[in-house]
Amino acid sequence: MDERQAVQTAYDEIADHFADVTADEPTSERAQSRPVPVKRFCEALEADDDVLAAGCGGGDAALEAAGETGVGLDFSREQLARARANVPAALVRGDMTALPFAADSFDAVAALYSLIHVPVDEHRTVLAEFARVLRPGGTLLVTEGGVEWTGTNPDWLDSGTEMRWSMAGPDATHEDLEVCGFDVRGVWNVPDPTTEDGEKPFFLADLL
């Protein structure tokens, strides 16, 4: 089983458990507790902006903020099934390395904790796909790993399921973003909600 298929299978297996473990405040309080880069991304959205949440899981902050103009993409059928109950967005099953959308389709793209599951040697391919589907001047918010690391956890979140990650680290990601035509305007280190320690950088960038 290749790395991407293993991640897809894992997210299918732990869909209910993951939703329970990552459940947070009531919806009315959620926006105030979002990390700074997520708040900035969501607050900058216009009412009619077309927004893609790439690797949306069961419905992430970007989809919640976008409402009916949001599109969520994920390769886990079980995660998408939960998203259907959580957000009004359109939902598509697909792969971030080959997005099933035409060029210039979106005003903003968010990839929250999803790029880190794509094999490192395909990170630039994913970022190039984000650039392709964004309109000129569009905004990207993407999470990376705080260090360069590829590995697994055989019992992630005490679920009994193995999860895999591939992290390029902040320096490589900054370079890849620039190569793909993005202007990085902010980087924030945010505590990882699924671990007791460690931070992950959030990159906020505009397509030139």
Side-chain angles (χ1 to χ4, degrees):
M1 184 182 300
D2 67 25
E3 185 170 345
R4 280 182 292 180
Q5 184 178 354
V7 172
Q8 173 190 329
T9 299
Y11 271 114
D12 281 340
E13 288 179 356
I14 68 168
D16 288 333
H17 181 75
F18 184 76
D20 290 341
V21 169
T22 58
D24 52 14
E25 305 96 327
T27 302
S28 60
E29 301 174 15
R30 201 170 295 155
Q32 294 305 313
S33 65
R34 289 171 182 159
V36 169
V38 178
K39 283 184 182 179
R40 292 196 178 187
F41 177 88
C42 293
E43 290 171 356
L45 296 176
E46 301 289 344
D48 59 350
D49 277 351
D50 296 310
V51 181
L52 172 64
C56 65
D60 62 16
L63 276 189
E64 191 175 282
E68 294 183 356
T69 63
V71 176
L73 176 133
D74 206 282
F75 59 8
S76 166
R77 293 184 188 275
E78 294 299 324
Q79 294 293 336
L80 287 174
R82 281 143 190 83
R84 289 188 185 95
N86 295 331
V87 293
L91 299 170
V92 178
R93 187 165 181 262
D95 190 326
M96 293 193 296
T97 63
L99 294 173
F101 307 110
D104 303 333
S105 292
F106 298 99
D107 300 292
V109 173
L112 307 180
Y113 301 102
S114 53
L115 181 62
I116 57 177
H117 291 298
V118 177
V120 167
D121 60 2
E122 295 182 281
H123 279 205
R124 186 173 291 186
T125 298
V126 172
L127 296 176
E129 278 292 276
F130 293 161
R132 181 182 67 80
V133 302
L134 272 170
R135 295 170 185 138
T139 299
L140 171 67
L141 178 64
V142 62
T143 313
E144 241 301 346
V147 296
E148 181 181 358
W149 180 76
T150 298
T152 67
N153 182 333
D155 185 24
W156 190 45
L157 302 176
D158 299 319
S159 65
T161 296
E162 179 185 68
M163 184 58 73
R164 304 185 185 188
W165 295 269
S166 295
M167 305 180 193
D171 291 341
T173 300
H174 199 292
E175 179 181 351
D176 285 346
L177 284 165
E178 291 184 340
V179 167
C180 292
F182 289 98
D183 176 34
V184 177
R185 58 183 167 96
V187 183
W188 293 260
N189 290 318
V190 175
D192 188 333
T194 64
T195 62
E196 294 182 357
D197 56 10
E199 296 181 323
K200 288 186 170 56
F202 279 62
F203 288 81
L204 190 62
D206 296 324
L207 184 64
L208 297 173

